[in-house]
Amino acid sequence: MKTIEKVSAFTGNTFAIWVILFAIWAYFMPSGFTWIAPHISLLLGIIMFGMGLTLSIDDFKGIIKMPKSVLVGVISQYTIMPLLAFGLATAFQLPAEVAVGVILVGCCPGGTASNVMTFLAKGNTALSVTITAVSTLLAPLLTPALTLLFASKWLPVSAGSMFMSIVQIVLLPIVLGIVVRLLFRKQVEKSVKALPLVSVVGIVAVAAAVVAVNNTAIAETGLLILSIVMLHNVLGLLVGFFVAKLLRLNFDDQKAISIEVGMQNSGLGSTLALAYFAPIAAVPSAIFSVWHNISGPILATWWGKRTTKKQTEASAAGSRQIS
């Protein structure tokens, strides 16, 4: 078990590298990964079940302990990214399927990797976990509704069917995971350290499958989509931070909300895009999965080092005053 835990910790810490490597591999050798595409919903369900296993009632107590910060985070999650996506799709006059793909990933809840990034940034990790949990549980209602609102300009959106899909592949697995944790706490706590390995394998497989299915389209429009995705993510991080700052939340909360807003559940975006739109609509989510696992660690590391430096300087100043 310890070996699995070590492998799990290693893959979790090097997550971005694996996503990039397998995405490149899938691009040049698509036949080795296209078989995964029909099983993407199952993979996402397994990832969400794993997320449920890591959640407890305490994670939702943040709603009571930090109501303002949680409210700001959840509202920011479901307004900033959809609006930015709609604005970018309109400004760059994207093809219909690509525009819908960008909007879809913008309407998804925060990704679980945001919790790790917030921890590395020395932000409010408890707040990050609560926002991720709440935004994910709201996804069956808000993701289809927002996609209908912003994407129907380009393509028809079946919000009702999308609602049922998210309930089946997100909400039910999470609830099942929470129930299993409540019933078998000791057994779950022994195995929970292996869950990052399951999540990494699942997300890498989803990203690789989407790239493999769309390698020809990526060759034609990949640079444009990459540019849009990078802008979307970076603007989300910036706007999320400044909204939290404007509302006078403390710096740790500002970092958590910035990361929550900027990092999306791109696996859900890919799954819904493949189910309800053309395969090319899943590409923005796949590229988002690669890119936000580059920008997130960079920002988190910078914030983390900056915070450590300030703490060291404050400690040194306090020591000098005492002496």
Side-chain angles (χ1 to χ4, degrees):
M1 189 66 185
K2 287 185 178 180
T3 303
I4 295 175
E5 288 178 7
K6 288 180 181 178
V7 172
S8 182
F10 174 74
T11 54
N13 292 333
T14 55
F15 179 47
I17 296 171
W18 297 114
V19 174
I20 295 168
L21 286 176
F22 276 85
I24 293 171
W25 188 1
Y27 178 79
F28 289 105
M29 297 183 65
S31 59
F33 297 91
T34 51
W35 64 271
I36 301 173
H39 309 293
I40 285 179
S41 295
L42 175 61
L43 286 169
L44 185 62
I46 293 171
I47 294 167
M48 292 296 102
F49 175 71
M51 178 183 175
L53 289 177
T54 65
L55 293 175
S56 66
I57 302 302
D58 289 340
D59 294 324
F60 294 93
K61 288 181 180 177
I63 300 171
I64 300 170
K65 294 177 180 177
M66 307 169 283
K68 179 180 177 182
S69 296
V70 172
L71 187 63
V72 170
V74 173
I75 291 175
S76 296
Q77 174 69 58
Y78 281 116
T79 54
I80 292 171
M81 292 303 273
L83 287 168
L84 285 173
F86 179 80
L88 289 168
T90 303
F92 285 86
Q93 298 182 338
L94 298 178
E97 292 83 0
V98 176
V100 170
V102 171
I103 289 169
L104 186 55
V105 73
C107 295
C108 285
T112 53
S114 61
N115 308 151
V116 179
M117 295 305 110
T118 302
F119 174 77
L120 294 175
K122 300 188 186 303
N124 189 339
T125 306
L127 173 62
S128 175
V129 171
T130 302
I131 294 172
T132 300
V134 173
S135 68
T136 302
L137 292 178
L138 290 173
L141 288 173
L142 294 182
T143 297
L146 291 169
T147 304
L148 176 64
L149 176 65
F150 290 109
S152 55
K153 170 184 174 181
W154 286 275
L155 291 174
V157 176
S158 178
S161 299
M162 199 178 288
F163 166 81
M164 291 305 302
S165 292
I166 300 174
V167 168
Q168 291 169 4
I169 63 180
V170 174
L171 189 60
L172 291 181
I174 287 177
V175 171
L176 181 60
I178 293 173
V179 171
V180 169
R181 182 185 174 96
L182 288 172
L183 295 176
F184 307 100
R185 176 178 289 275
K186 290 183 179 179
Q187 293 88 335
V188 169
E189 287 178 352
K190 287 180 181 178
S191 59
V192 76
K193 290 183 180 178
L195 289 177
L197 176 61
V198 176
S199 296
V200 169
V201 170
I203 294 172
V204 167
V206 170
V210 172
V211 170
V213 170
N214 291 284
N215 71 320
T216 303
I218 290 172
E220 297 171 358
T221 61
L223 188 59
L224 171 64
I225 298 176
L226 175 61
S227 301
I228 297 297
V229 165
M230 289 173 67
L231 268 174
H232 192 195
N233 169 245
V234 172
L235 287 172
L237 292 168
L238 286 171
V239 176
F241 177 79
F242 284 112
V243 165
K245 188 179 180 71
L246 185 67
L247 294 173
R248 298 182 178 180
L249 302 184
N250 65 54
F251 188 47
D252 288 350
D253 288 6
Q254 291 169 19
K255 288 186 283 187
I257 289 173
S258 170
I259 293 169
E260 278 300 313
V261 171
M263 298 189 74
Q264 301 294 90
N265 188 335
S266 49
L268 176 60
S270 296
T271 304
L272 295 175
L274 288 172
Y276 295 102
F277 305 106
I280 187 65
V283 174
S285 291
I287 294 179
F288 204 106
S289 181
V290 176
W291 170 250
H292 81 175
N293 283 295
I294 296 172
S295 64
I298 291 172
L299 179 61
T301 302
W302 179 72
W303 261 335
K305 288 182 177 179
R306 183 183 173 197
T307 302
T308 301
K309 183 180 178 182
K310 284 187 175 182
Q311 289 172 346
T312 303
E313 289 173 350
S315 178
S319 298
R320 284 196 297 270
Q321 286 177 355
I322 293 171
S323 61

